[in-house]
Amino acid sequence: MGRRWKTAAAQALGISRATLYRYFQDDSDVPQDVWTQLGRLEGGDDRPPVSPQDLVTWFARGLLDVQTQVDEHGWLKDGYPVSLQRGFDLAAASNFASGRQEWPTNLSELARVARKPLYEWAGDLSWDPDGQFTAARLIEAGEITPACADLAMPGADPEAELIENAGYKLLRGICSDRRDGQDVYVAVRRTIIENPVLSNWTAVMLTHPLLATVDRIDQVIDAFYHRIPEALLFEGSLPVCAVSGTVLRRESAGFHTECRAPEAVRRAKAGDIKRLKWRVGAMHLRRPFRTYWCLPGKTELELEKALSRAGWTCALWPGLDRVDLTATSPDGKRRIAVDVKDYLSPEHLAARFPGFREYAEDHECFVAVPDWMPEMSRGYRGRFEAVRSSYAKSPVELRTASELVDELEAA
């Protein structure tokens, strides 16, 4: 328990801290029931000091904090994060209690096993009855995975966590104070999706006729972007994904892209990349906004563009992001609401998606996934519907982006 061991000891014995201190001074008047409880605690039981789920959560949180340091500085500048050290302490206690070296207790060991699916090293996975994380890896290609970020926040939706982020609050606050706040929100979000890297943010933001009127646009930039560490440079320039526009990282063969689209991965590994001239002060999106805004945002913009060409009247992120897209058919008879997701696990998506709330009554509602997603995860639609039904959640229509566009164009 670290520095809180006295509080924990008092709670375990069913006494106050003041009483515990008194017993330290003189144990002659310690009641028998306290001695009995102490004996039980000393004897222990067959339960491990921490559950496998707790250890996986601590490891995921620790790796997330390590990745944050690497993103900011290019290396582990401040040593082990507190969360990671806590995980290793609990792992050591669990190993001691079992008499076996079951869990990693240093970063090199954790990095080695974290590249494997959880079922190969994380012990009892009964806490994951739907198999959302059974085959998940915490690290791929030297970086944490979206699954790692999800596991680091048990019981919470990482996108909801993002909504509580200071950057999101700042942007919402700015937009709420303006009569044209919805237009400002759309302009900022569209710009973020289209510009995951900013070599010169003033050239992008201050030449935009609407964003140039936002008084605190520099604060918005600082909240959503951070400096690119020079460790990411390759031969003096920034390697950028030809599909997503995000910064690549050099691997032994080719490059690694955070974009999971097969075409992006193929081109990165083949060295088919873009290069940006390095400029001191160049910035790129912070990892949560790359993962939950920029990458799925490409599909959102593609949907809006395709439906607009078909004559639908579209609105992106209405009500400051109630849903990703609403659209009205050319004849005005149909209204749809769409949320775009790129969860690789359909079980995870089915369990986490809350539904469409206020849009369900008067809109046809769809969850759209990138076209490549079902190819990456076999039986995607059936698994999504099965888990959705098992949780007794409201039915949701699942489509790929192309399926949705084809269906609406033909109607």
Side-chain angles (χ1 to χ4, degrees), residues 3-10 13 15-27 29-30:
R3 290 178 293 178
R4 297 186 297 113
W5 71 269
K6 294 177 183 177
T7 298
L13 294 170
I15 58 179
S16 68
R17 278 183 54 130
T19 301
L20 179 68
Y21 290 146
R22 179 161 55 83
Y23 292 165
F24 284 159
Q25 298 291 329
D26 180 8
D27 63 9
D29 62 344
V30 176

Side-chain angles (χ1 to χ4, degrees), residues 176-197:
S176 297
D177 291 341
R178 294 178 58 122
R179 296 181 63 182
D180 59 354
Q182 177 64 30
D183 293 334
V184 170
Y185 182 86
V186 171
V188 170
R189 190 151 181 171
R190 185 188 289 274
T191 300
I192 281 174
I193 294 169
E194 294 175 343
N195 298 274
V197 175

Side-chain angles (χ1 to χ4, degrees), residues 313-393:
T313 302
C314 300
L316 284 167
W317 313 296
L320 303 185
D321 202 22
R322 299 281 184 174
V323 291
D324 291 329
L325 175 74
T326 58
T328 304
S329 62
D331 60 8
K333 294 181 179 180
R334 297 183 68 184
R335 293 192 295 175
I336 66 167
V338 183
D339 256 338
V340 175
K341 303 293 182 185
D342 69 350
Y343 286 68
L344 196 57
S345 164
E347 293 85 2
H348 194 182
L349 173 57
R352 290 287 177 85
F353 185 68
F356 285 90
R357 300 186 178 120
E358 68 264 37
Y359 290 94
E361 291 186 4
D362 54 5
H363 287 69
E364 299 173 60
C365 299
F366 300 91
V367 169
V369 298
D371 292 343
W372 49 265
M373 188 67 70
E375 300 173 16
M376 299 281 289
S377 188
R378 184 173 299 175
Y380 196 97
R381 194 192 314 273
R383 290 157 58 195
F384 172 85
E385 292 172 350
V387 173
R388 193 81 184 165
S389 176
S390 71
Y391 276 88
K393 290 181 178 287

Side-chain angles (χ1 to χ4, degrees), residues 110-123:
L110 177 58
R112 178 178 57 80
V113 300
R115 293 194 290 267
K116 302 177 181 179
L118 283 186
Y119 68 80
E120 292 190 12
W121 66 275

Side-chain angles (χ1 to χ4, degrees), residues 131-212:
Q132 297 177 35
F133 298 106
T134 299
R137 305 169 194 265
L138 301 186
I139 294 176
E140 287 183 353
E143 294 186 335
I144 65 165
T145 62
C148 181
D150 294 349
L151 286 164
M153 295 171 278
D157 186 331
E159 294 181 73
E161 180 91 353
L162 182 65
I163 288 173
E164 297 304 316
N165 182 281
Y168 187 85
K169 287 184 175 180
L170 172 65
L171 179 58
R172 282 183 63 92
I174 290 172
C175 294
S176 297
D177 291 341
R178 294 178 58 122
R179 296 181 63 182
D180 59 354
Q182 177 64 30
D183 293 334
V184 170
Y185 182 86
V186 171
V188 170
R189 190 151 181 171
R190 185 188 289 274
T191 300
I192 281 174
I193 294 169
E194 294 175 343
N195 298 274
V197 175
L198 289 176
S199 296
N200 183 348
W201 74 264
T202 57
V204 174
M205 298 296 182
L206 298 186
T207 56
H208 191 291
L210 184 56
L211 298 184

